[in-house]
Amino acid sequence: MSEVRNFRAIGQRVIRPDGVDKVTGRANFGADFSLPGMLYGRVLRSPHAHARIVSIDTKRAAKMPGVHAIVTGADFPGVQSEEITGGEGAGNYKDLAVNVMARDKALYHGHAVAAVAAASIAEAEAALAAIKVKYEKLPAVMDVDTAMADDAALIEEDLYTAGLPEKPTKPSNIAMVMELKRGDVEVGFRDADVVVEETYRTPTVHQGYIEPHACLATINQGGQATVWCCTQGHFDVRSSTSKVLAMNVADIRVIPSEIGGGFGGKTTVYIEPVAVLLSKKSGRPVKMTMTREEVFRASGPASATKCVIKIGAKKDGTLTAMTAWLAYEAGAFRGSSLAPGAMCIFAPYKVDHFLIRGFDVLVNKPKVAAYRAPGAPQSMYACESLLDELARKLDLDPIDLRLKNAVEEGSQAAYGPKFNAIGFRECLEAAKRHPNYALPLGPNEGRGVAAGFWFNAGMQSSAEIHINENGTVTVIEGNPDIGGSRASMALMAAEELGVPYDRVRVQIADTESAGYTNVTGGSRVTFATGMAVIHAARDIVGQCKQRAAATWGIDADMVDWQDGHAVPKPGVNADVKPLSLADIAGNAARTGGPLLGRASLNARGAGPGFAVNFADVRVDPDTGKLDVLRYTAIQDVGKAIHPSYVEGQLQGGAAQGIGWALNEEYVYDANGVMENAGFLDYRVPVASDLPMIDTQLVEVPNPSHPYGVRGVGETPIVAPLAVIANAAHSATGVRIRELPLSPPRVLAALEG
Amino acid sequence: MRYAAPTSMKEATGLMAKAKGKAFVLAGGTDLLVRLKGGFVEPDLVVDIKRIPAVTKITKAGGGFRIGAAVPCAELGENAALKKAWPGVVEAANLIGSDQIQGRCTIVGNLCNASPAADSVPAMVAAGAKAAIAGPRGRRTVAVEDVVSGPGKTTLKKGEIVEAISLPKPKPKTGDAYLRFIPRTEMDIAVVSAGVCLTLGAKGVVKSARVALGAVGPTVIVANAAAAAIIGTTLDEAALEKLAAAARAACKPIDDKRGTVEFRIEVAGVLAKRAAKIAYQRAGGK
């Protein structure tokens, strides 16, 4: 399906249309919307990590000045169990409703237990302080070892492990067990010359998007709600809000704002249903914004994990067997990113015998949300670290070890399907040839290599194209622009229509103005929504050919579309001038009315994305501090629609992965209270912490896309964790199997 | 909350003395405004001292320097004479927060905020800086290390305001240095820090020294034994090891989200050594 062609617009490094307003501060984000008579909503949150809510007394708070409405769990309808589909993370609407507002139990420190709408933030907060909640404290379960123990305190009293052949006899904190396997690992390990096995751990981390969650909601007397919010998917906000409040989706209109980062964390709801309910109760618009502290304590971080990996190999590096035992924290409700983590872990390698067992485990932490390639960074950190240890043992170059076992077109992926055209080998070979890979290292310096993988998604998208009377183009679609997608959509429309990029405008329309579109996530937008835009543009081209044919009095199939013009096919006896898009649009009234193209689709065949990254680090042996000296990210991107923004994705993913490896972690006290709920002590890298991240785009076209596009946004965060861990091993001579590699941990390891 | 912006120190100390409830002095505001916006403090009175001309300047006095309480740290870095005389104090002031923060924050604010991890304080203590205090009953001068009594606590009496920091004229062949450990490169708070000031006698022998350690106790620790370990030496390896051991012995740190007890003790010795080497070089030692 992929065509070999010379592109005119695709591949140009144009300026994104939303850029100027974003860098000058004029763009409107979630907290920038206001309405007359608006109230401010604030949330009362549990001071305990695990407690029964005995009673909530709001009487005094309700009488306080400025207070218009108070809601607690009792104001929310009961919600039936139903799996959430179409989003980016696993979950259930019943759990989502209880996460939005606690009912009989507070399940993590920061869990919402009540909310107030008042005339000012100060009055709302004064009222929160006046709400009396009686709690009965329960033991806090804070990690998978404690949660999986036989005598563990139960977070959900009637949770029976799913995925077992028979329903267990007693409840536990293990929500689900899954297994993936091929062959017989006993046989594989028997064939091995070397067997290695180790346990790796990763901490709870947050996406760290700069913009906190924010929304404004209003509901009219007829019961129709309008919500302005920052989200990765306004159709998902609509469906989630409708489920949590038992409202008709047709009565909820969601208008997305610009978005200050999401990375998967803005694919669910926390405050939107609360704001709608407070608006309903008060009869006024209600604005809610989370503080940074609330974002850390009560939005969705990524799973902390414990992974035990075992690998068998021949002396030449051929892998004979691999096993993985994966335990992922889900937070207070079932539905971690275990499944994709399990499906990705061995995806890059050909191995006849493997066994993956995974556990989705409840703990008293906020319910995890998607974070960029959800689940893959943790499991692949473990596997790619152990492969590095194996390479050392076999005295093989880590790239050679991977080349020896790399999957290619036709290989059966560990998660099931046969790979179509993929670029893993190309990435490995590019890494080996890269000049950075040959640079000499100084004292206390080390180099690390690792691979990354993500499936990428297709799913549902819609697009409309309107041709204005002067031939300019308006594209209407429904994916909040999180990484420059307006520019990519405009480039694809310009390519198909044969017009310059600057004649195209892209609008991200609300739930009542755009066709249904799945979330901005899964690295699907440029692939799937881009495909909808391409199809809508082709719809326009078809219509233009008909209009030209009618104008010229010939058959439509005698018309070609070249360089933005309708032209008669060679040999057609028509003495006519080519008609531009502007000519046809200007004459549209006489040829059948306005030009409107559209497409809606459920995109299949998202091409998987492979990456190979390597980095050099230097350790200060006296303090344990690691400095990243050089970082090189190489990735198969299919076809880069806008190379600068693709490179930006590789760099951004590397930066986040380096942060995950070096310093980021939720630090909890003995009571399950996060101690570092702010950017001062939750340490994401600052600009001066990182070197310039070198990128190399490998382009192996995805055969399922007209231009060869494959998703690029998520793969970049997968490799860096192991890259840094492997480089740290090289620099220090010590293997540390727990992240982050913070200076106290590294120094303690160096001192043995 | 009442906000006042007096134009004289007398007026300012009068306001602070008469204040009912919680009164705060506002200079750069990089601590106070953050705590206010975060809901950690609810002041009844805020006295902004930036309109008092005398506290907005760095003046030379008797070969030394008087740095007004409202002088932003960035100005310390722009003052060539100060930088030449007390490079360690200036580098400490220019490590606080970020460029933007340094455009507002002050060393007096850093001192009076009374954080055990304040960057400029160990450097000032090592340099022998004094705090000039104005109050309703007149003025007094105390050593910088005597201003802070514990985390968030000072020895200032009601109505008193630190109006300036005085740094003496450095003795010949004197050098100072300040180092801190943070897991990042900026925008962070010291996990451990060390300020060292030393003066050389003949043949590169250390004649006098002061060592101050930050973030390893409730207040800055003046490590006299660490200083004694290098006096009379040419800062050879053995002396440096003794310095490190004495610095470590002086530490009384806690485990927290920023670091462990073991890490802080170990790195305090490392930083004391490294800062001493820089100070020695700055003093003209080889």
Side-chain angles (χ1 to χ4, degrees):
Chain A
M1 198 166 141
S2 180
E3 301 149 25
V4 178
R5 54 191 283 185
N6 293 317
F7 293 108
R8 294 162 34 129
I10 300 308
Q12 300 298 308
R13 297 173 188 255
V14 295
I15 291 175
R16 58 197 285 172
D18 49 316
V20 174
D21 270 9
K22 281 179 178 163
V23 296
T24 57
R26 291 197 56 160
N28 287 315
F29 290 88
D32 290 330
F33 297 88
S34 296
L35 283 172
M38 182 178 83
L39 305 174
Y40 296 87
R42 298 288 295 140
V43 174
L44 182 69
R45 298 183 179 279
S46 169
H48 306 297
H50 193 191
R52 204 169 302 287
I53 299 171
V54 179
S55 62
I56 305 178
D57 181 354
T58 61
K59 281 200 253 4
R60 199 163 75 83
K63 288 183 200 138
M64 290 181 61
V67 174
H68 288 250
I70 301 180
V71 296
T72 68
D75 294 282
F76 286 77
V79 174
Q80 292 299 309
S81 178
E82 182 187 345
E83 293 304 310
I84 300 170
T85 56
E88 226 200 344
N92 187 296
Y93 284 118
K94 186 184 173 191
D95 293 335
L96 177 69
V98 180
N99 194 29
V100 163
M101 191 62 67
R103 309 295 155 97
D104 54 335
K105 268 171 84 170
L107 297 170
Y108 53 92
H109 178 261
H111 195 171
V113 295
V116 172
S120 69
I121 293 173
E123 285 167 315
E125 288 183 346
L128 292 185
I131 296 175
K132 282 192 208 113
V133 186
K134 219 170 133 189
Y135 294 100
E136 179 193 323
K137 267 185 81 175
L138 298 166
V141 179
M142 299 306 293
D143 57 62
V144 293
D145 290 330
T146 315
M148 294 172 83
D150 272 345
D151 58 347
L154 291 178
I155 293 166
E156 195 181 313
E157 279 90 353
D158 57 352
L159 179 70
Y160 291 85
T161 308
L164 294 171
E166 280 171 38
K167 187 179 171 180
T169 53
K170 59 177 198 146
S172 83
N173 292 318
I174 302 168
M176 187 263 282
V177 178
M178 65 174 290
E179 195 173 288
L180 294 170
K181 64 178 187 178
R182 177 190 297 160
D184 182 345
V185 290
E186 294 300 319
V187 172
F189 284 121
R190 219 161 36 227
D191 289 348
D193 296 322
V194 183
V195 176
V196 284
E197 180 175 12
E198 296 294 349
T199 301
Y200 301 85
R201 290 172 188 270
T202 68
T204 303
V205 297
H206 198 271
Q207 300 85 354
Y209 35 82
I210 297 300
E211 182 199 22
H213 300 262
C215 70
L216 168 64
T218 185
I219 185 161
N220 66 18
Q221 304 235 314
Q224 279 111 28
T226 306
V227 179
W228 290 259
C229 63
C230 56
T231 175
Q232 289 176 244
H234 39 304
F235 289 92
D236 299 79
V237 172
R238 184 178 69 169
S239 55
S240 295
T241 303
S242 91
K243 295 287 181 193
V244 171
L245 298 179
M247 287 174 71
N248 185 337
V249 287
D251 288 333
I252 303 168
R253 179 184 177 204
V254 183
I255 304 171
S257 67
E258 293 299 339
I259 177 166
F263 311 106
K266 287 180 184 159
T267 56
T268 182
V269 296
Y270 301 103
I271 50 177
E272 291 83 355
V274 182
V276 171
L277 195 58
L278 285 169
S279 176
K280 193 173 175 182
K281 242 184 144 172
S282 65
R284 302 267 208 113
V286 175
K287 179 168 172 165
M288 297 184 78
T289 55
M290 288 172 89
T291 62
R292 176 64 55 194
E293 188 183 339
E294 286 178 294
V295 170
F296 274 113
R297 295 195 194 287
S299 69
S303 299
T305 62
K306 177 183 176 185
C307 302
V308 186
I309 317 292
K310 186 175 173 186
I311 301 177
K314 294 280 194 195
K315 280 196 188 105
D316 69 353
T318 306
L319 302 177
T320 60
M322 303 173 96
T323 65
W325 181 97
L326 312 172
Y328 275 52
E329 289 181 7
F333 302 95
R334 76 201 82 184
S336 68
S337 47
L338 164 69
M343 289 160 76
C344 284
I345 182 167
F346 299 147
Y349 305 109
K350 295 184 210 166
V351 61
D352 292 334
H353 307 283
F354 70 80
L355 172 65
I356 303 162
R357 270 175 76 74
F359 302 83
D360 184 41
V361 185
L362 266 58
V363 292
N364 289 116
K365 294 184 184 178
K367 162 75 167 73
V368 300
Y371 179 16
R372 215 167 181 167
Q378 297 100 317
S379 64
M380 293 190 71
Y381 151 69
C383 181
E384 294 292 313
S385 294
L386 189 59
L387 280 171
D388 193 71
E389 300 195 52
L390 176 68
R392 286 165 193 280
K393 225 168 186 168
L394 295 172
D395 201 20
L396 287 171
D397 176 278
I399 296 178
D400 289 339
L401 172 65
R402 288 168 174 85
L403 269 170
K404 182 102 199 156
N405 299 285
V407 288
E408 55 209 346
E409 186 167 359
S411 302
Q412 190 96 42
Y415 59 92
K418 270 206 167 98
F419 283 118
N420 220 321
I422 49 169
F424 185 35
R425 285 189 160 276
E426 287 78 353
C427 289
L428 286 164
E429 281 155 8
K432 207 150 185 214
R433 282 194 306 269
H434 201 286
N436 287 357
Y437 198 63
L439 289 175
L441 292 168
N444 297 315
E445 294 177 7
R447 181 166 296 149
V449 185
F453 170 80
W454 184 246
F455 321 94
N456 297 323
M459 308 205 286
Q460 302 178 88
S461 287
S462 308
E464 265 182 33
I465 294 182
H466 301 186
I467 307 301
N468 303 314
E469 61 267 37
N470 64 352
T472 54
V473 179
T474 302
V475 176
I476 296 171
E477 45 105 353
N479 276 121
D481 181 354
I482 209 163
S485 59
R486 282 188 186 88
S488 299
M489 298 305 142
L491 284 170
M492 287 186 267
E495 184 71 43
E496 288 297 322
L497 296 172
V499 299
Y501 167 78
D502 62 11
R503 302 249 181 102
V504 185
R505 302 287 182 273
V506 180
Q507 288 299 324
I508 292 144
D510 63 75
T511 50
E512 294 188 0
S513 313
Y516 184 86
T517 296
N518 280 129
V519 67
T520 296
S523 300
R524 60 174 291 277
V525 175
T526 309
F527 170 71
T529 305
M531 196 128 72
V533 168
I534 292 167
H535 288 184
R538 288 179 180 178
D539 184 9
I540 291 287
V541 168
Q543 293 177 43
C544 284
K545 286 183 188 169
Q546 283 177 349
R547 305 294 178 102
T551 307
W552 295 331
I554 63 175
D555 282 348
D557 57 9
M558 292 292 104
V559 181
D560 261 345
W561 189 257
Q562 283 175 5
D563 299 338
H565 292 74
V567 295
K569 277 195 173 154
V572 175
N573 187 16
D575 181 22
V576 293
K577 273 202 322 196
L579 293 172
S580 69
L581 193 58
D583 295 334
I584 296 167
N587 202 35
R590 280 185 288 276
T591 59
L595 290 162
L596 165 64
R598 61 193 184 86
S600 61
L601 47 81
N602 187 2
R604 308 274 178 201
F610 287 87
V612 176
N613 294 7
F614 59 91
D616 298 341
V617 305
R618 183 190 299 138
V619 66
D620 178 339
D622 298 329
T623 65
K625 187 176 183 218
L626 296 169
D627 287 318
V628 182
L629 308 175
R630 278 176 289 277
Y631 198 98
T632 310
I634 300 168
Q635 187 173 320
D636 172 21
V637 301
K639 174 69 197 169
I641 300 298
H642 191 302
S644 300
Y645 300 159
V646 172
E647 288 156 4
Q649 290 293 325
L650 270 56
Q651 292 169 321
Q656 286 186 309
I658 291 168
W660 200 333
L662 288 183
N663 283 302
E664 292 183 38
E665 64 176 323
Y666 276 43
V667 179
Y668 283 97
D669 72 8
N671 296 313
V673 178
M674 184 192 185
E675 291 188 302
N676 58 335
F679 278 139
L680 179 58
D681 289 305
Y682 181 89
R683 291 189 174 83
V684 299
V686 297
S688 55
D689 290 339
L690 299 173
M692 186 62 193
I693 292 160
D694 294 321
T695 59
Q696 185 178 339
L697 306 183
V698 171
E699 293 189 321
V700 175
N702 172 12
S704 303
H705 186 277
Y707 306 157
V709 166
R710 54 180 92 230
V712 299
E714 291 172 289
T715 301
I717 201 177
V718 181
L721 284 64
V723 166
I724 298 299
N726 296 343
H729 185 175
S730 301
T732 61
V734 180
R735 173 64 62 168
I736 302 167
R737 299 187 184 87
E738 182 169 6
L739 297 183
L741 300 174
S742 56
R745 178 168 286 146
V746 173
L747 190 61
L750 287 174
E751 290 174 348
Chain B
M1 185 187 92
R2 201 174 137 227
Y3 168 86
T7 52
S8 74
M9 189 48 74
K10 197 171 174 212
E11 223 185 312
T13 55
L15 282 163
M16 290 296 289
K18 274 181 264 155
K20 291 193 178 73
K22 287 178 203 142
F24 292 87
V25 175
L26 171 68
T30 53
D31 286 308
L32 181 63
L33 294 190
V34 174
R35 288 168 63 205
L36 215 154
K37 284 181 184 166
F40 302 106
V41 291
E42 280 182 59
D44 297 290
L45 172 69
V46 169
V47 177
D48 186 343
I49 57 168
K50 288 193 289 298
R51 293 194 197 161
I52 303 170
V55 301
T56 60
K57 292 191 214 67
I58 302 174
T59 45
K60 273 197 148 181
F65 297 84
R66 187 180 162 90
I67 302 162
V71 175
C73 287
E75 275 187 40
L76 273 56
E78 289 161 3
N79 189 313
L82 177 66
K83 218 171 154 178
K84 188 158 179 271
W86 294 107
V89 172
V90 174
E91 72 196 356
N94 289 167
L95 279 175
I96 299 171
S98 63
D99 283 357
Q100 291 91 330
I101 299 288
Q102 287 153 29
R104 303 291 300 178
C105 71
T106 66
I107 51 172
V108 170
N110 199 218
L111 174 65
C112 294
N113 187 52
S115 160
D119 276 313
S120 65
V121 181
M124 286 196 277
V125 169
K130 301 243 180 325
I133 299 167
R137 291 190 192 151
R139 295 184 145 87
R140 63 189 181 105
T141 299
V142 301
V144 161
E145 57 268 36
D146 293 333
V147 173
V148 178
S149 56
K153 291 198 186 95
T154 69
T155 56
L156 295 174
K157 297 187 192 81
K158 186 163 169 76
E160 284 191 329
I161 296 174
V162 176
E163 57 179 340
I165 295 293
S166 296
L167 285 161
K169 179 183 179 181
K171 291 186 187 120
K173 289 197 270 183
T174 292
D176 76 330
Y178 172 79
L179 291 173
R180 68 166 181 192
F181 183 83
I182 56 171
R184 288 189 286 213
T185 45
E186 59 175 341
M187 301 290 290
D188 219 325
I189 285 186
V191 180
V192 199
S193 64
V196 175
C197 179
L198 50 79
T199 300
L200 304 185
K203 294 180 188 165
V205 171
V206 178
K207 200 164 78 183
S208 66
R210 278 171 70 81
V211 176
L213 304 170
V216 285
T219 64
V220 165
I221 288 172
V222 185
N224 288 327
I230 55 171
I231 292 172
T233 76
T234 53
L235 214 67
D236 52 289
E237 267 312 309
L240 283 167
E241 280 316 313
K242 278 185 192 153
L243 162 71
R248 285 175 184 133
C251 293
K252 287 174 277 208
I254 54 166
D255 269 324
D256 70 4
K257 60 196 171 189
R258 298 191 182 125
T260 58
V261 166
E262 299 74 30
F263 180 78
R264 286 188 158 113
I265 291 174
E266 176 62 26
V267 175
V270 172
L271 294 185
K273 274 200 289 189
R274 290 179 180 179
K277 281 196 211 169
I278 298 168
Y280 189 77
Q281 217 166 32
R282 284 176 178 166
K286 282 174 191 127

